[in-house]
Amino acid sequence: MLGRLILLFLLTPAVELALLIQVDQLIGFWATIALIIVTGVVGSHLARREGLSTWGRLNRRLQAGDLPGKELADGVIILVAGALLITPGILTDVIGFSGLIPVTRTRFRNVLMRWFQGKVDQGTMQVQFGMFGGPTASDSKGANVPPRSPDGPRRSAPDDTWEGRPQDRPNHADEPQGDGNGTASSSP
């Protein structure tokens, strides 16, 4: 992952510089500067408009009691697209504008959701529903589902056994604190 980030941060500016030089040779220096400024202004306006629209849809879904997964993914894409449009460059502007156009944003969202679902299925990412990451999740019918243990399968029922690593076991205020030898001590 670190190697990919380093490559991204080294390769992207080099490509952007090469593209800006090519555009400068085609349309001239001042026209290139104007293009960078115009894409930044138009992009920020589009990002604001699309962001407010998505925010309104998100609020309507929440008020209806639905989970706004699509809207949250759109919000992340719009945020990244807006940041790319502020960055001077041709490649980042093309990617940024495509993240703000609803048709292409839908495609980005589908790819993002498939990637996210793949990470959850692999067990490299966990999603918890509930208040403050509570221990239960709900299935599509609203019934409580026992939580997954860190190694994947669902526990049969919430009980006092812990299936994860000892250092991951949650401590609760009502549990007696151990002294390290497996016995409970009365001091906090």
Side-chain angles (χ1 to χ4, degrees):
M1 180 68 172
L2 181 61
R4 289 180 187 171
L5 285 176
I6 290 173
L7 184 63
L8 177 71
F9 286 118
L10 291 177
L11 192 60
T12 303
V15 170
E16 290 289 5
L17 185 58
L19 287 171
L20 284 173
I21 290 171
Q22 291 297 317
V23 170
D24 175 45
Q25 291 175 351
L26 286 174
I27 64 173
F29 176 76
W30 291 111
T32 303
I33 297 298
L35 180 67
I36 291 170
I37 293 170
V38 167
T39 57
V41 170
V42 171
S44 65
H45 172 72
L46 278 173
R48 183 176 187 273
R49 186 186 76 186
E50 292 297 316
L52 288 174
S53 171
T54 301
W55 182 257
R57 287 193 318 271
L58 182 135
N59 281 329
R60 284 190 295 278
R61 293 280 305 256
L62 286 174
Q63 288 173 353
D66 296 334
L67 289 176
K70 210 164 79 170
E71 289 77 13
L72 288 173
D74 279 350
V76 168
I77 294 168
I78 290 168
L79 181 67
V80 170
L84 288 173
L85 285 168
I86 293 172
T87 306
I90 306 299
L91 179 65
T92 54
D93 286 347
V94 168
I95 295 169
F97 276 120
S98 62
L100 294 179
I101 299 169
V103 173
T104 52
R105 185 172 61 239
T106 300
R107 292 184 184 193
F108 282 149
R109 182 181 62 230
N110 291 339
V111 169
L112 179 67
M113 297 303 272
R114 277 194 306 269
W115 175 83
F116 186 71
Q117 184 64 45
K119 291 292 185 182
V120 170
D121 290 344
Q122 289 174 356
T124 56
M125 184 181 297
Q126 293 182 354
V127 179
Q128 292 183 341
F129 295 98
M131 193 159 189
F132 302 109
T136 60
S138 296
D139 64 6
S140 61
K141 296 176 185 154
N144 283 340
V145 177
R148 291 184 185 268
S149 66
D151 57 352
R154 293 198 182 276
R155 291 185 288 192
S156 59
D159 58 352
D160 291 335
T161 60
W162 177 254
E163 296 177 10
R165 299 180 310 176
Q167 61 267 32
D168 292 338
R169 185 173 196 278
N171 293 323
H172 298 283
D174 56 292
E175 291 181 350
Q177 299 293 320
D179 62 1
N181 296 326
T183 59
S185 62
S186 58
S187 62

